[in-house]
């Protein structure tokens, strides 16, 4: 037995928020770290492993003397930093850029404060792991990964230690913990004995985690002494106080099986639990990304100071991506804290964005003209964008016209103002915007001006809408879509009633432990009214109001005259318990392929009805029966992450309503009073994008980003200025290369531009920065993420860097 070795990893799984709030998490962190330092004084061979830069920042700011003790133990090599991320997040729901920032802020913090970076990704309690993580880990300086969930009953793996590979070919050596990441008894004999059962030839080495966890605590004296006792017993393998890096360095020379897959499923109910935290996360991520883009450009073009508090905002967002917060499994007051942190983050983003775009709009040369109001519209994306823009403005007269910077009239229509007051109007129009640039539109109020453009409208009534591409029909009795006909393809997209609000019985706990399907339909919302509420040369809107029990649902279906997708605004007032709500769309295709967006990538999955995590879009593509043509439907949204596809039914899970922080086997009292999740009003938007051909050629990724980062409009005034009335700052010549982030570099005035390949194909692309007469050529492998550093010096070449914005290995 002594030829075999158990690497005993002393740790304390710290949930900063779960059945307690973050304030208690600060205290538990300090108490745990104090205990660990005391054990180190008592046992000179004891070593400790811990993750999450956020914890160390708490200690640095609140207990600096202890922080210095920790720094000394790290220098000695007895305190090991794992998981170079800000926190141990949910590993499905955050966006791709958030995973980059977890490493950017976590690893750079560790390097600045302790002189080292982590080589090991570390998410022992996260509820599943998306398939692009190996690339993100590798490009953040981490070659190894430790996880535990899904467990063997949820996901079969070829061995405990395996090579995990992402679609771009990046690989990390990964390890699934046996049984649990923490221990509860004083002696570790039983835990060690069951782990010994995992030692089967040729496996001679295993990691065994021990220490009191969840609410902190760490290794106890009894733990340490029982390890020493077992190590002295010849019937046990060698038990060594060690770090995960010790283990990985020992076993990396061996052959290991390769896993090329997501690591799913655990706690499938978490993909939909607590709509609020899911929506705040999506909004905050996109607001910060949007603000950084324009702030970085504003500094270079206009000298506008780049905000220093973006770091604080990102740290708030990253902290609230902790797996028990973003998954929706914490106690109710924790979400008041999360709301406040997200509010601070979004306020910082909005302030930075406003200063940035106004530094542009104020410097645009706009002529003085009586009765004219200029509107400057900004496109945050590196492609030409056509998008609906709505602006509150006054006054609007019968003779008011809207023109672009060349004087060409643009159709617009009046829609309901946000203010129920006289003297306020709201206009809607389709803006055609240059790549990552802006354009000036002008509202002209002159009775002697040009005659108002007579533009055709969408053909519509209370129960149907039709433009040049689609005809959309509704059942007046149910409020469901009865037909969506693609006139160009000569094809009915749906195979039955669609956009059906289906009520699902769901008596599972907050996590939905051991539940993988939500298909027990017990009812549907039924229409109270279906009628047209908006109509004009830009769009028509049909509103379907429906009811179920004490709950109400409003779906506003928008068809645009000039855009080939349908937008839907959903308002739900939910009053049900132990039920879930899905929107169901039966797709009229055969030989199908189902694709889900994952962070900075995508994943094809079976249509077996399992609840699946996804980002802003999913797609259902197949063959038109009897014709053989490729066709599909992309379902896009701005706030949801949970989907299912059962045979030909595509469904978006809107919400679930379990009890807050209900964990089996606890059975709620029949007469108990509980607080249920997702009660009350929520709103979100989804987009139906029917398409001929594949989603890759249909622009699904771009249409998703346009919904989640819409154009920004500023009402200006006339003034002289050096900037033209239309301009562009960055474009890419390949549709499958997405510019996902533009920001100021962490360590100097360089520009950081992050791109990713979105269609799994090798691509050569050219990025153009016309204002600086610079082009950058880049070669992308399938699904590759690239980070480019664009120096402020126009004569210095652009270079590729890693996700930490560091060249070379500084770990």
């Amino acid at each position: 037995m002594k030829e075999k070795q158990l690497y005993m990893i002393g740790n304390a799984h710290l949930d900063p928020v779960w059945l307690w709030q973050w304030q208690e998490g600060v205290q538990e962190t300090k108490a745990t770290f104090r205990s660990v330092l005391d054990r180190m004084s008592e046992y000179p061979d004891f070593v400790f492993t811990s993750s999450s830069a956020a914890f160390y920042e708490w200690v640095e700011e609140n207990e600096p003397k202890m922080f210095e003790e920790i720094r000394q133990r790290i220098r000695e090599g007895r305190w090991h930093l794992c998981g170079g991320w800000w926190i141990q997040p949910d590993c499905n729901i955050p966006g791709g850029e958030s995973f980059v920032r977890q490493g950017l802020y976590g690893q750079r913090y560790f390097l600045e404060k302790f002189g080292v970076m982590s080589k090991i990704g570390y998410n022992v309690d996260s509820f599943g792991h998306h398939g692009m993580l190996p690339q993100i880990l590798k490009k953040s300086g981490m070659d190894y990964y430790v996880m535990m969930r899904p467990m063997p009953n949820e996901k079969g793996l070829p061995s405990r230690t395996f090579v995990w590979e992402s679609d771009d070919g990046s690989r990390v050596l990964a390890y699934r913990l046996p049984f649990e990441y923490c221990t509860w008894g004083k002696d570790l004999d039983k835990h060690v004995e069951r782990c010994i059962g995992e030692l089967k030839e040729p496996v001679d080495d295993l990691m065994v985690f021990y220490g009191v966890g969840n609410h902190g605590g760490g290794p106890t004296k009894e733990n340490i002494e029982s390890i020493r006792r077992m190590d002295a017993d010849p019937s046990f393998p060698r038990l060594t106080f060690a770090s995960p890096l010790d283990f990985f360095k020992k076993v990396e020379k061996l052959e290991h099986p390769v896993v090329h897959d997501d690591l799913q499923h655990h706690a499938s109910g978490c993909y939909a639990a607590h709509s609020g935290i899911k929506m705040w996360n999506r909004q905050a991520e996109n607001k910060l990304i949007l603000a950084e883009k324009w702030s970085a450009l504003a500094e270079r073009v206009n000298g506008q100071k780049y905000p220093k508090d973006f770091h604080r905002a990102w740290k708030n967002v990253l902290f609230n991506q902790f797996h028990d917060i973003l998954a929706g499994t914490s106690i109710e007051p924790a979400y008041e804290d999360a709301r406040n942190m997200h509010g601070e983050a979004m306020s910082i983003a909005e302030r930075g964005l406003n200063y940035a775009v106004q530094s542009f709009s104020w410097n645009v040369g706009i002529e003085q003209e009586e009765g004219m109001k200029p509107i400057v519209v900004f496109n945050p994306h590196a492609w030409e964008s056509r998008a609906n823009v709505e602006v509150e403005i006054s006054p609007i007269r019968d003779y008011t016209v809207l023109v672009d910077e060349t004087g060409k009239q643009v159709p617009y229509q009046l829609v309901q103002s946000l203010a129920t007051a006289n003297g306020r109007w709201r206009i809607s129009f389709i803006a055609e915007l240059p790549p990552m640039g802006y354009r000036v539109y002008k509202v002209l109020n002159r009775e002697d001006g040009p005659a108002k453009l007579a533009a055709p409208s969408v053909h519509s009534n209370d129960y149907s809408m039709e433009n040049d591409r689609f005809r959309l029909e509704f059942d007046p009795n149910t409020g469901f879509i009865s037909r969506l006909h693609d006139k160009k393809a000569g094809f009915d997209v749906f195979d039955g009633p669609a956009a059906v609000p289906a009520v699902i019985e769901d008596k599972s706990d907050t996590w939905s432990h051991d539940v993988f399907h939500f298909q027990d339909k017990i009812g549907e919302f039924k229409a109270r009214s279906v009628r047209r509420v908006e109509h004009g040369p830009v769009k028509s809107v049909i509103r379907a109001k429906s009811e179920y029990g004490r709950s109400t649902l409003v779906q506003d279906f928008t068809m645009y005259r000039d855009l080939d997708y349908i937008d839907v605004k959903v308002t739900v007032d939910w009053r049900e318990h132990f039920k879930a709500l899905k929107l169901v769309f039966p797709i009229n295709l055969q030989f199908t392929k189902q694709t889900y967006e994952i962070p900075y990538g995508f994943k094809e999955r079976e249509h077996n009805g399992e609840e699946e995590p996804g980002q802003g879009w999913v797609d259902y593509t197949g063959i038109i029966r009897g014709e053989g043509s490729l066709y599909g439907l992309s379902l896009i949204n701005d706030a949801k992450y949970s989907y299912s596809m059962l045979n030909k039914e595509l469904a978006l899970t809107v919400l679930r309503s379990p009890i807050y922080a209900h964990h089996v086997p606890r059975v709620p009292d029949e007469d108990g009073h509980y607080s249920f999740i997702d009660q009350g009003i929520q709103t979100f938007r989804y987009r139906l994008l029917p398409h001929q051909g594949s989603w890759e050629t249909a622009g699904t990724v771009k249409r998703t980003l346009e919904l989640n980062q819409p154009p920004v409009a500023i009402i200006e005034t006339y003034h002289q200025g050096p900037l033209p009335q239309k301009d562009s700052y960055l474009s890419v010549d390949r549709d499958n290369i997405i510019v996902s982030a533009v920001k100021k570099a962490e360590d100097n005035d360089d520009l950081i531009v992050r791109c990713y390949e979105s269609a799994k194909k090798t691509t050569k692309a050219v990025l153009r920065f016309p204002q600086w007469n610079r082009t950058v050529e880049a070669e992308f492998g399938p699904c590759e993420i690239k980070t480019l550093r664009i120096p402020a010096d126009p004569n210095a070449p652009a270079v590729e860097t890693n996700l930490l914005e560091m060249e070379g290995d500084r770990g």
Side-chain angles (χ1 to χ4, degrees):
M1 289 296 287
K2 292 303 179 184
E3 294 177 357
K4 299 181 182 295
Q5 184 172 9
L6 298 184
Y7 291 76
M8 303 303 295
I9 311 299
N11 80 110
H13 182 67
L14 285 162
D15 286 331
V17 175
W18 179 27
L19 308 180
W20 46 85
Q21 294 173 255
W22 69 267
Q23 296 89 342
E24 189 171 336
V26 174
Q27 194 282 326
E28 77 177 63
T29 299
K30 292 190 299 181
T32 297
F33 285 1
R34 180 71 267 155
S35 174
V36 169
L37 291 166
D38 291 344
R39 299 294 81 74
M40 286 186 169
S41 298
E42 297 162 352
Y43 301 96
D45 53 347
F46 166 65
V47 297
F48 180 70
T49 293
S50 180
S51 72
S52 304
F55 300 159
Y56 295 89
E57 187 177 72
W58 280 346
V59 175
E60 180 187 19
E61 294 181 354
N62 193 238
E63 189 53 44
K65 290 183 179 179
M66 190 194 303
F67 187 77
E68 290 303 317
E69 291 184 65
I70 293 171
R71 291 179 68 176
Q72 177 59 34
R73 294 304 188 186
I74 291 172
R75 284 193 291 267
E76 292 173 2
R78 295 182 61 196
W79 187 302
H80 296 271
L81 299 173
C82 265
W85 285 1
W86 196 249
I87 207 76
Q88 290 187 43
D90 181 281
C91 288
N92 285 313
I93 295 172
E97 189 60 22
S98 285
F99 285 102
V100 171
R101 301 308 173 95
Q102 288 283 354
L104 180 71
Y105 294 120
Q107 290 281 53
R108 293 183 76 99
Y109 179 87
F110 284 157
L111 185 63
E112 176 188 352
K113 304 298 181 180
F114 305 119
V116 296
M117 293 193 299
S118 174
K119 290 291 186 183
I120 300 171
Y122 185 93
N123 290 295
V124 297
D125 196 26
S126 298
F127 309 148
H129 311 258
H130 71 83
M132 286 298 288
L133 273 179
Q135 181 180 183
I136 294 172
L137 291 164
K138 199 79 174 178
K139 291 186 175 181
S140 301
M142 288 172 273
D143 299 320
Y144 313 103
Y145 194 57
V146 181
M147 45 75 67
M148 188 178 75
R149 312 183 194 279
M151 300 183 81
N153 62 306
E154 298 165 323
K155 170 79 173 176
L157 293 173
S159 68
R160 291 240 170 248
T161 306
F162 58 95
V163 173
W164 191 22
E165 182 181 68
S166 53
D167 283 346
D168 71 304
S170 296
R171 291 181 169 190
V172 294
L173 186 59
Y175 181 83
R176 177 161 67 181
L177 297 182
F179 303 108
E180 56 187 333
Y181 50 71
C182 55
T183 53
W184 308 106
K186 294 182 179 180
D187 294 328
L188 302 178
D189 299 58
K190 288 184 178 179
H191 181 49
V192 169
E193 287 168 0
R194 62 185 178 179
C195 290
I196 290 173
E198 300 287 315
L199 289 168
K200 299 174 183 178
E201 299 294 344
V203 177
D204 290 330
D205 302 276
L206 201 69
M207 275 196 287
V208 178
F209 278 53
Y210 73 95
V212 179
N214 289 344
H215 199 268
T220 65
K221 294 180 181 181
E222 292 88 348
N223 291 165
I224 297 169
E225 289 170 0
S226 67
I227 291 171
R228 286 179 161 182
R229 172 176 50 77
M230 285 183 282
D231 184 50
D233 188 332
S235 65
F236 282 86
R238 280 184 296 142
L239 275 68
T240 307
F241 295 108
S243 74
L245 189 58
D246 297 326
F247 169 80
F248 282 119
K249 288 296 185 183
K250 175 69 181 299
V251 304
E252 68 180 347
K253 302 178 183 66
L254 305 175
E255 291 290 330
H256 300 283
V258 177
V259 175
H260 188 116
D261 198 3
D262 282 345
L263 303 179
Q264 310 290 4
H265 296 94
H266 178 81
S268 300
C270 292
Y271 312 149
H274 204 291
S275 296
I277 192 65
K278 307 296 197 289
M279 178 184 67
W280 303 330
N281 177 74
R282 182 80 66 85
Q283 290 176 342
E285 287 176 328
N286 282 288
K287 284 181 185 292
L288 277 167
I289 292 168
L290 184 65
E292 284 179 337
K293 289 176 182 177
W294 284 110
S295 295
L297 294 173
E299 184 174 59
R300 281 218 171 176
V301 176
N302 307 313
Q304 174 68 37
K305 188 176 180 181
Y306 191 84
K308 294 181 179 180
D309 49 2
F310 282 163
H311 286 177
R312 178 70 270 154
W314 268 113
K315 288 177 180 179
N316 284 8
V317 175
L318 300 178
F319 180 82
N320 282 302
Q321 290 171 348
F322 179 70
H323 52 265
D324 277 315
I325 303 175
L326 190 52
T329 56
S330 293
I331 58 173
E332 188 173 13
Y335 292 99
E336 298 175 10
D337 296 334
R339 176 202 62 202
N340 295 343
M341 280 194 203
H342 277 302
E344 181 185 33
M346 286 191 267
S347 291
I348 290 170
E350 288 167 348
R351 182 168 57 247
L353 174 63
N354 185 55
Y355 288 160
V357 295
Q358 291 214 32
S359 79
F360 280 98
S361 65
W362 190 254
N363 281 288
V364 173
I366 301 174
E367 69 280 6
Q368 181 175 353
E369 182 176 341
E370 189 69 27
M372 183 267 285
K373 279 188 180 294
I375 304 169
V376 188
V377 185
F378 294 82
N379 174 22
H381 307 296
W383 58 85
E384 292 183 356
S385 179
R386 300 175 73 233
N388 180 231
V389 174
E390 294 190 1
V391 181
E392 296 273 329
I393 199 167
S394 59
I396 298 293
R397 308 300 185 200
D398 291 340
Y399 48 81
T400 300
V401 299
L402 178 69
V403 300
D404 62 20
E405 83 288 355
T406 69
K408 178 183 176 182
Q409 276 202 49
V410 177
Y412 75 92
Q413 73 185 62
L414 293 179
V415 296
Q416 183 174 341
S417 171
L418 301 181
T420 308
N422 293 329
R424 194 69 172 169
W425 290 265
R426 186 174 183 85
I427 64 169
S428 169
F429 64 98
I430 303 300
E432 298 186 7
L433 304 172
M436 204 163 287
Y438 64 84
R439 189 174 191 180
V440 175
Y441 290 85
K442 302 167 188 176
V443 176
L444 303 179
N445 278 305
R446 292 205 327 258
E447 291 188 67
D448 59 347
K452 191 172 180 179
L453 184 69
S457 302
V458 172
H459 300 291
S460 64
N461 54 40
D462 282 343
Y463 307 123
S464 69
M465 297 185 285
E466 184 173 354
N467 60 15
D468 291 342
R469 177 69 187 272
F470 300 118
R471 179 172 175 81
L472 184 64
E473 301 175 3
F474 296 87
D475 183 327
N477 296 315
T478 64
F480 309 155
I481 294 175
S482 58
R483 187 188 188 201
L484 174 55
H485 181 70
D486 186 328
K487 297 160 67 174
K488 183 178 179 182
F491 174 64
D492 285 348
V493 178
F494 296 127
D495 187 24
V500 176
V503 179
I504 310 296
E505 185 175 66
D506 174 20
K507 294 186 177 180
S508 60
D509 68 3
T510 313
W511 289 255
S512 299
H513 282 107
D514 299 321
V515 177
F516 301 98
H517 300 79
F518 298 88
Q519 301 291 346
D520 189 5
K521 181 177 173 181
I522 57 174
E524 297 172 343
F525 279 74
K526 296 299 182 183
R528 189 172 67 193
S529 69
V530 180
R531 67 185 183 92
R532 189 181 73 182
V533 294
E534 290 183 13
H535 181 62
V538 176
K539 60 182 180 177
S540 282
V541 179
I542 290 178
R543 175 172 295 156
K545 292 184 177 181
S546 55
E547 296 177 339
Y548 174 89
R550 297 186 300 118
S551 301
T552 60
L553 174 74
V554 178
Q555 294 194 76
D556 286 348
F557 295 87
T558 299
M559 178 178 282
Y560 303 97
R561 185 174 68 88
D562 294 326
L563 299 177
D564 287 344
Y565 52 75
I566 294 154
D567 280 342
V568 189
K569 179 183 177 182
V570 181
T571 303
V572 186
D573 187 355
W574 185 251
R575 304 290 173 177
E576 314 303 318
H577 297 168
F578 297 121
K579 297 180 181 69
L581 174 63
K582 291 192 174 193
L583 289 172
V584 181
F585 304 85
I587 312 298
N588 185 24
L589 295 166
Q590 61 180 355
F591 303 119
T592 60
K593 179 173 66 176
Q594 300 74 223
T595 311
Y596 298 71
E597 183 189 24
I598 64 174
Y600 277 159
F602 61 91
K603 175 71 174 175
E604 293 174 8
R605 297 178 175 136
E606 301 82 358
H607 62 173
N608 57 15
E610 286 190 353
E611 202 72 9
E612 300 281 5
Q615 295 278 300
W617 63 267
V618 294
D619 183 82
Y620 195 105
T621 291
I623 302 298
I624 297 176
R625 188 184 304 274
E627 181 181 320
S629 299
L630 192 66
Y631 195 92
L633 174 73
S634 294
L635 176 62
I636 298 166
N637 79 85
D638 69 353
K640 303 297 176 182
Y641 297 89
S642 193
Y643 308 87
S644 64
M645 298 192 198
L646 179 60
N647 299 325
K648 296 188 177 183
E649 278 193 352
L650 162 61
L652 170 68
T653 304
V654 174
L655 56 83
R656 297 179 56 239
S657 51
I659 297 171
Y660 273 95
H662 171 214
H663 196 303
V664 293
R666 175 67 182 271
V667 178
D669 297 333
E670 287 189 9
D671 299 327
H673 177 74
Y674 299 101
S675 186
F676 288 80
I677 295 177
D678 272 359
Q679 302 299 291
I681 297 173
Q682 61 169 281
T683 62
F684 69 97
R685 297 176 186 272
Y686 69 89
R687 176 169 290 174
L688 299 174
L689 178 64
H691 56 83
Q692 293 177 291
S694 69
W695 63 264
E696 291 95 330
T697 59
T700 294
V701 176
K702 291 182 176 181
R703 302 298 85 78
T704 302
L705 286 164
E706 289 169 349
L707 179 67
N708 283 272
Q709 294 178 38
V712 178
I714 293 290
I715 298 175
E716 260 298 346
T717 186
Y718 58 83
H719 39 60
Q720 293 182 345
L723 299 181
Q725 294 189 8
K726 180 181 179 182
D727 218 342
S728 173
Y729 296 93
L730 171 58
S731 64
V732 187
D733 69 344
R734 293 290 182 266
D735 287 338
N736 59 312
I737 302 302
I738 303 298
V739 174
S740 55
V742 178
K743 61 182 287 290
K744 186 177 179 180
E746 296 296 309
D747 48 13
N748 59 24
D749 291 334
D750 292 349
L751 202 65
I752 296 295
V753 178
R754 188 140 31 250
C755 312
Y756 71 99
E757 196 286 313
S758 65
K760 201 181 291 188
K761 63 180 182 180
T762 301
T763 303
K764 292 183 179 180
V766 178
L767 284 74
R768 290 186 170 83
F769 302 83
Q771 303 310 312
W772 301 287
N773 196 27
R774 183 191 282 270
T775 61
V776 178
E777 296 183 359
E779 294 188 11
F780 291 80
C783 294
E784 184 179 4
I785 306 164
K786 275 192 183 294
T787 304
L788 303 172
R789 181 185 286 272
I790 315 299
D793 180 356
N795 297 314
V799 297
E800 183 177 351
T801 183
N802 63 18
L803 298 179
L804 306 181
E805 302 174 21
M806 298 177 184
E807 286 69 48
D809 185 0
R810 294 171 60 182

